[in-house]
Amino acid sequence: MAHVRFLFRPLAAATALSAGLALLTGCGDGTSSGKSDGEKAGKSSGPVVVATSSWEAALAKAAGAKNVTSIVPASIKHAPDYDLKPSDLTAVAGADYVLYASFEPFAGRIKDAAGSKAKVVEVNLDNTPAATKAEVTKLGKEFGTEQAAAQWNAKFTAEWDSLAKQVKATWPGGKAPAVAAQMFTTWAAKLAGAKVVGTYGPEAVTPAQLSSLSAKKPKFVLENENMSTGTVLPGSGAKQLNIVNYPGADLDLLGVYRKAAGQMEKAFSTS
């Protein structure tokens, strides 16, 4: 994790910076809708947080941050492919906190643009429950919003348990379905209580992997929508579900889990 010196600003300065960020990044690309109602009304509290993608931004929001902006529009399927604009780097320079993931190719430019006025925090992007709650807890400590982070984590645990119960109730024939999962969608298999017979990725499936995975006869394939290259196991008869890892423009991380659960419920109940 890369850190630079963190400088606190008065509330009025944070408000001005937040308004500036809205002008710089809210040009109809969906990123501005992730802001709180208070921020939209010109009222802000707490630090200004600029995140590279909606995933980091959603974690910040879950941790209790109010002034959160995502650089990469939520409409971009694969965030690391996004080309930074000068205005994006300007927004980073005006932040109190900058959140990024190490695998993002523009991470170096983001850290350089942050200068000495922001604290740069590397975030672990992983939708498994343990990783998600750990990141929310970590960010809550950074922002001084530990209580809000703990409340969200409790809500998340209850939501996960409820969704898992709903999905398991739709198992075909009452038995855990056999699935092949892209390495970044194994969390969805866990949510479903499915039997993972094989994993693949992040690279495209090779002919040898295709043969090996098909031989294990998975009934479903949990593909990563954000990295998808098409049908994973053509001719295998397995039903493919494209699981999304990144939250939408509303920065609702729980929505990612609800959507995946809904997809699997529908697929399982009709098989």
Side-chain angles (χ1 to χ4, degrees):
M1 184 186 300
H3 290 282
V4 291
R5 185 168 60 85
F6 173 44
L7 177 65
F8 283 94
R9 294 174 178 69
L11 180 59
T15 303
L17 285 169
S18 178
L21 289 177
L23 291 174
L24 286 167
T25 62
C27 302
D29 58 13
T31 57
S32 62
S33 61
K35 296 185 178 67
S36 66
D37 290 339
E39 187 178 1
K40 291 176 183 177
K43 299 177 181 179
S44 62
S45 61
V48 174
V49 180
V50 175
T52 49
S53 78
S54 64
W55 200 341
E56 294 100 327
L59 286 165
K61 182 179 177 182
K66 301 297 184 182
N67 304 328
V68 183
T69 301
S70 170
I71 290 176
V72 181
S75 58
I76 301 296
K77 182 179 291 187
H78 191 226
D81 291 339
Y82 178 72
D83 291 326
L84 292 177
K85 302 188 297 292
S87 59
D88 297 329
L89 298 178
T90 300
V92 170
D96 293 318
Y97 285 92
V98 175
L99 310 185
Y100 76 100
S102 61
F103 63 81
E104 294 165 336
F106 44 70
R109 293 178 65 194
I110 290 293
K111 288 188 286 185
D112 290 342
S116 62
K117 295 182 179 180
K119 184 170 184 179
V120 182
V121 181
E122 181 178 335
V123 179
N124 176 31
L125 298 183
D126 182 344
N127 277 328
T128 58
T132 293
K133 289 190 285 187
E135 289 305 299
V136 169
T137 297
K138 179 182 78 175
L139 292 175
K141 290 179 180 178
E142 289 281 2
F143 304 151
T145 55
E146 293 96 329
Q147 184 175 355
Q151 290 174 345
W152 189 92
N153 277 341
K155 180 180 179 181
F156 170 66
T157 297
E159 184 80 8
W160 174 278
D161 292 343
S162 176
L163 291 174
K165 184 177 180 179
Q166 292 173 31
V167 178
K168 290 175 182 178
T170 64
W171 282 354
K175 296 181 180 180
V179 305
Q182 201 263 7
M183 64 181 299
F184 299 134
T185 64
T186 54
W187 64 267
K190 183 176 181 179
L191 178 63
K195 179 182 179 182
V196 179
V197 297
T199 59
Y200 64 93
E203 297 81 10
V205 175
T206 64
Q209 287 178 311
L210 173 60
S211 177
S212 176
L213 287 172
S214 296
K216 295 176 181 177
K217 301 186 182 303
K219 194 165 185 179
F220 301 92
V221 174
L222 303 182
E223 168 67 326
N224 185 344
E225 169 69 16
N226 301 104
M227 300 176 67
S228 183
T229 57
T231 303
V232 177
L233 300 179
S236 68
K239 181 181 291 186
Q240 181 167 312
L241 307 180
N242 293 333
I243 304 298
V244 175
N245 273 314
Y246 285 78
D250 58 2
L251 305 185
D252 179 14
L253 190 56
L254 292 179
V256 171
Y257 299 93
R258 293 179 186 129
K259 181 175 181 178
Q263 289 176 271
M264 293 186 290
E265 283 183 60
K266 182 178 179 179
F268 295 170
S269 63
T270 57
S271 297

